[in-house]
Amino acid sequence: MSDESPYLAFVEQQLESPWGDGLPVVPPTPAAVAAFVERSGLAGDEVLGEFRPRQSVATLRDVPVSAVMAGGCADYAPTGVALARALM
């Protein structure tokens, strides 16, 4: 059994469930999140901005989990960071 088997099982399960919008959800593995943070060229605890109306602070570590789950790879890190900053 390969290391990808749990991943593939997860993807198949979520595609067959009513959990989302029908697009695949990629598990945000620690390696994928770490690669995203590294590729961004920023420190993981760097504050990107403040989300309104809750006034919650978003750091770089908050961005990769959502980006990876949406299918983004580490190469998309600069775009993901810019998008997060623009939304705030």
Side-chain angles (χ1 to χ4, degrees):
M1 191 173 243
S2 76
D3 290 336
E4 285 190 330
S5 294
Y7 165 77
L8 294 175
F10 172 82
V11 171
E12 288 297 320
Q13 180 184 17
Q14 66 84 29
L15 284 173
E16 294 172 2
S17 75
W19 296 345
D21 55 9
L23 296 173
V25 173
V26 178
T29 63
V33 172
F36 191 102
V37 171
E38 183 178 329
R39 176 67 175 86
S40 75
L42 304 172
D45 59 353
E46 182 164 335
V47 174
L48 299 179
E50 186 177 287
F51 278 111
R52 295 181 186 178
R54 296 180 61 198
Q55 312 302 350
S56 61
V57 173
T59 66
L60 176 61
R61 290 187 206 273
D62 298 320
V63 174
V65 172
S66 295
V68 170
M69 288 179 66
C73 65
D75 289 340
Y76 300 159
T79 303
V81 170
L83 179 59
R85 285 182 169 153
L87 289 171
M88 290 181 260

